[in-house]
Amino acid sequence: MTATMRSAAARAVPDVLGRTRDVVQPALRTAVDRLDETSRAISAYHLGWTDAHGVPSQGNGGKAVRSALAVVSAQAAGAQPETGVPGAVAVELVHNFSLVHDDLMDGDTERRHRPTVWSLWGSASAILTGDAMLALAQEVVLDSGSPQAVPAARLLAETTRRLIKGQVLDVEFEQRDDVTLEECVEMAGGKTGALLSGSAAIGAVLAGAPAEVVDALAVFGEEIGLAFQLVDDVLGIWGDPVVTGKPVFSDLRARKKSLPITYATTHGGEPGRELAGWLAGPEPADETDLARAAALVQAAGGREWATAEAARRVAGAEQALAAIPAGPRGELTDIARFIVHREA
Amino acid sequence: MTATMRSAAARAVPDVLGRTRDVVQPALRTAVDRLDETSRAISAYHLGWTDAHGVPSQGNGGKAVRSALAVVSAQAAGAQPETGVPGAVAVELVHNFSLVHDDLMDGDTERRHRPTVWSLWGSASAILTGDAMLALAQEVVLDSGSPQAVPAARLLAETTRRLIKGQVLDVEFEQRDDVTLEECVEMAGGKTGALLSGSAAIGAVLAGAPAEVVDALAVFGEEIGLAFQLVDDVLGIWGDPVVTGKPVFSDLRARKKSLPITYATTHGGEPGRELAGWLAGPEPADETDLARAAALVQAAGGREWATAEAARRVAGAEQALAAIPAGPRGELTDIARFIVHREA
């Protein structure tokens, strides 16, 4: 991570998000309008367009970084922003399908400071709304009229498969105490890398770009995803509760097999073994226990590794963009910084 | 419904199901092999290929009528059975995605005389396995290499959207006591008609058939779906528990807004109003109550209407096939009879 990327300035919402949002939002609304009345209303709430009673609101529907990547991806391949829009709408729908299902599976009652879909409408509605968004994502790409609809839709389906795999591994890891670092990276690659990679590539696919451009953008997105997850995992232990909105030591409290924790238990010598023993022990733990566990992760090198690895991933991402024209490259880098360095 | 179609002979499993299963099953297994290890194992169990421990078994994975329709659909358009196979695999995956999610939403612990996915592996695994099958369905069509991949994948996505809408309405109706017959037919059209329609049409789409052939097959599948639902709803009240495997009067016990019940409450005069009052009343009801409610459905004309409507739908389905060549037409009719007249 460079000093610039750590700076407060990097936290400002980059202009590119506003610009791409203006092209994508109308198309996203048109797509959601195709859903049955109930799924449409619930999706509109989840996306921050209405309150729970259907009254239009200025709610927070997320920063739509994935659709921004898809639009700039088309421009990186020399096409107009509009070329990337069907891909942008589709990745936004896949992202939100996964959030609605994840919130239910994790039992989370709040997202973006609002009650989650399942907590308002029950689990059946959360399952069905997610299903509807996933099916709609494919429909949007297939109906785009793009001569590249098949490769774009294939990329979307493969991306979704990897995303689901990441989630499957996450659920599985909760039951296991022998998760390797490689498996943990694979899980993060699925949960976070896959869709950012697909988002960064799908615009170029719709633009009919050559394989090397598509691949470079896919690598860029994948690395950014891993970097984000590494930073997020560090914040999950040492983040300021005021900034993250989560309790201090939250990932240790939840005994989450995050990246720095898994590095520590698998590569961290004696402190790592002690940490592993603590993680396998009885819950709940008090604040002193948690502080001691966090110190063990640090002593075992988990924090240092995660921070360095995030920097390596960011460098890899920027390197992958070498052949992309300066304009889109700058915007992709802006989005990347924004993704990696959000703190909440 | 003709006398022939009521006969015991019509219950025999038609040869076409065995023939099409032999072409579809290897492709379905190849597709499922693409899934992550866990989703693959759970899908293999759900599809009847293994027991819960992953040991190969001869379990009952259903009769695969939807994939049979898709294969014969291609032949109805003059193509080889193989042309329909990607569509057949896809509709089978969509069907099973919806079963895995439905069993969870309905809290059903048994399907095809075996424990359901969620009851063995928990809700998160059921959600994720369903999601994985849905995404995979699209991937199979898109990877088919068919020049008709886009229209086939579009049909699949639209079909899925209607299927989900049917399920959404079903969930919604549980909370309402003013469901109209039209809404109830729309719900059944989504839950049962949409996927049978898509299955009957997708093979012809992959074969590049003209719109009138595709439309005729779509109508055929849709009507068969409604006919099945009507017959199934009659059995849900008056079916023999020994044959259906469900308790006597099961749909009345569950206060289900099935088609004959909704006909009765909305078009059934005084007995219909009495039935509506009973349905809105306190649960549970004893056997005498249930028998009286069943008598009210009958007195209100619900049973007669549903039986006559099923016959009209079957006639409409057969009529739609008028221009289809005799061989495939005979096989489609065989599958239709098998679907409409299963009794459990």
Side-chain angles (χ1 to χ4, degrees):
Chain A
M1 236 168 309
T2 64
T4 319
M5 294 185 70
R6 277 182 199 278
S7 77
R11 288 299 308 144
V13 178
D15 293 343
V16 58
L17 293 188
R19 175 177 75 76
T20 53
R21 171 177 286 266
D22 291 344
V23 226
V24 175
Q25 282 289 314
L28 183 57
R29 285 182 184 256
T30 304
V32 169
D33 275 345
R34 288 196 191 183
L35 295 178
D36 65 89
E37 207 177 326
T38 305
S39 303
R40 182 163 71 231
I42 298 179
S43 299
Y45 167 80
H46 172 79
L47 291 163
W49 302 339
T50 66
D51 67 13
H53 306 287
V55 179
S57 73
Q58 290 297 317
N60 179 0
K63 289 288 181 249
V65 292
R66 288 163 192 79
S67 53
L69 285 173
V71 170
V72 183
S73 166
Q75 295 181 277
Q80 292 300 309
E82 288 69 24
T83 304
V85 167
V89 170
V91 296
E92 208 55 36
L93 286 169
V94 169
H95 177 54
N96 285 287
F97 132 76
S98 82
L99 295 181
V100 170
H101 279 190
D102 284 5
D103 286 342
L104 170 62
M105 290 187 284
D106 298 343
D108 288 337
T109 54
E110 275 213 353
R111 165 163 310 270
R112 301 166 188 153
H113 310 290
R114 303 160 81 217
T116 49
V117 167
W118 75 266
S119 73
L120 287 173
W121 286 282
S123 8
S125 293
I127 292 172
L128 290 167
T129 304
D131 292 348
M133 290 201 245
L134 175 55
L136 183 61
Q138 279 291 348
E139 213 173 341
V140 169
V141 174
L142 293 163
D143 280 1
S144 64
S146 165
Q148 307 301 327
V150 169
R154 281 176 72 169
L155 172 62
L156 191 71
E158 277 172 39
T159 297
T160 307
R161 180 151 52 88
R162 277 194 61 211
L163 173 65
I164 294 168
K165 178 179 182 166
Q167 188 62 36
V168 166
L169 292 176
D170 196 21
V171 169
E172 208 180 294
F173 290 176
E174 281 170 27
Q175 315 298 326
R176 282 178 48 192
D177 53 9
D178 62 348
V179 175
T180 66
L181 186 60
E182 198 188 348
E183 288 178 313
C184 196
V185 169
E186 188 188 5
M187 187 266 279
K191 281 194 72 168
T192 316
L195 190 53
L196 286 169
S197 176
S199 302
I202 200 166
V205 170
L206 286 164
E212 56 271 24
V213 173
V214 172
D215 291 348
L217 289 162
V219 168
F220 164 78
E222 183 83 29
E223 297 294 291
I224 287 303
L226 261 301
F228 162 72
Q229 197 55 61
L230 287 155
V231 171
D232 198 57
D233 284 357
V234 167
L235 292 169
I237 303 175
W238 295 280
D240 180 349
V242 176
V243 181
T244 63
K246 293 179 187 170
V248 69
F249 308 128
S250 71
D251 283 358
L252 285 165
R253 224 177 271 269
R255 317 263 162 154
K256 207 173 136 184
K257 286 159 193 109
S258 74
L259 289 159
I261 293 172
T262 305
Y263 178 89
T265 56
T266 57
H267 293 67
E270 190 42 40
R273 277 186 290 278
E274 198 181 323
L275 176 71
W278 179 83
L279 286 167
E283 302 179 54
D286 66 20
E287 206 99 330
T288 321
D289 272 349
L290 293 168
R292 165 128 191 84
L296 286 172
V297 181
Q298 187 146 359
R303 185 175 192 167
E304 198 185 352
W305 170 79
T307 309
E309 182 68 14
R312 274 193 295 275
R313 298 281 181 172
V314 169
E318 297 196 343
Q319 213 175 337
L321 297 184
I324 301 295
R329 187 171 71 229
E331 289 193 325
L332 290 169
T333 310
D334 286 349
I335 301 171
R337 287 175 188 181
F338 181 76
I339 293 173
V340 175
H341 295 282
R342 63 179 169 192
E343 282 155 38
Chain B
M1 231 169 312
T2 63
T4 320
M5 292 186 72
R6 278 183 199 276
S7 75
R11 287 298 310 145
V13 178
D15 293 344
V16 58
L17 292 188
R19 174 178 76 76
T20 53
R21 172 177 284 266
D22 290 344
V23 227
V24 175
Q25 282 289 314
L28 182 57
R29 285 183 183 255
T30 303
V32 169
D33 275 344
R34 288 197 191 183
L35 295 177
D36 66 89
E37 206 177 327
T38 305
S39 303
R40 182 164 69 229
I42 298 178
S43 299
Y45 167 79
H46 172 79
L47 291 163
W49 301 339
T50 65
D51 67 15
H53 306 288
V55 180
S57 72
Q58 288 298 317
N60 179 0
K63 289 288 180 251
V65 292
R66 288 163 191 78
S67 54
L69 286 174
V71 169
V72 183
S73 167
Q75 295 181 277
Q80 293 300 309
E82 287 69 23
T83 304
V85 167
V89 170
V91 296
E92 207 56 34
L93 286 168
V94 169
H95 177 54
N96 284 287
F97 132 77
S98 82
L99 296 181
V100 169
H101 279 190
D102 284 5
D103 286 341
L104 170 62
M105 291 187 282
D106 298 343
D108 288 337
T109 53
E110 275 213 354
R111 164 162 312 270
R112 300 166 190 153
H113 310 290
R114 302 159 82 217
T116 49
V117 166
W118 75 267
S119 73
L120 286 174
W121 286 282
S123 9
S125 294
I127 292 172
L128 291 166
T129 304
D131 293 346
M133 290 200 245
L134 175 55
L136 183 61
Q138 279 291 349
E139 214 173 341
V140 169
V141 174
L142 293 162
D143 281 0
S144 64
S146 164
Q148 307 300 327
V150 169
R154 282 177 72 171
L155 173 62
L156 191 70
E158 278 171 39
T159 297
T160 307
R161 180 151 53 87
R162 278 194 61 211
L163 172 66
I164 294 168
K165 179 180 182 164
Q167 187 64 35
V168 165
L169 292 176
D170 195 23
V171 169
E172 208 179 295
F173 290 176
E174 282 170 28
Q175 316 297 326
R176 283 177 48 193
D177 53 10
D178 62 346
V179 175
T180 66
L181 186 61
E182 199 187 346
E183 289 178 312
C184 196
V185 169
E186 189 188 5
M187 187 266 280
K191 281 194 70 168
T192 317
L195 190 53
L196 286 169
S197 176
S199 302
I202 200 167
V205 171
L206 285 164
E212 57 270 24
V213 173
V214 172
D215 292 349
L217 289 163
V219 168
F220 163 78
E222 184 83 30
E223 297 294 291
I224 287 304
L226 260 302
F228 162 73
Q229 196 56 61
L230 287 155
V231 171
D232 198 54
D233 283 357
V234 168
L235 293 170
I237 304 175
W238 294 281
D240 180 347
V242 177
V243 180
T244 64
K246 293 179 187 170
V248 69
F249 307 127
S250 71
D251 282 357
L252 285 165
R253 220 176 274 269
R255 316 261 163 157
K256 205 172 139 186
K257 286 159 192 107
S258 74
L259 290 159
I261 293 172
T262 305
Y263 178 90
T265 57
T266 57
H267 294 68
E270 189 43 41
R273 279 187 289 277
E274 198 182 323
L275 176 71
W278 178 82
L279 286 166
E283 304 177 51
D286 65 20
E287 206 99 330
T288 320
D289 273 347
L290 293 167
R292 164 128 189 84
L296 287 171
V297 181
Q298 187 145 0
R303 184 175 193 166
E304 198 184 352
W305 170 79
T307 308
E309 183 67 15
R312 276 193 294 275
R313 298 282 180 172
V314 168
E318 297 195 344
Q319 214 174 337
L321 296 184
I324 302 294
R329 186 171 73 232
E331 289 193 326
L332 290 169
T333 310
D334 287 348
I335 300 171
R337 289 176 187 180
F338 181 75
I339 292 172
V340 176
H341 295 282
R342 62 180 170 190
E343 281 155 41

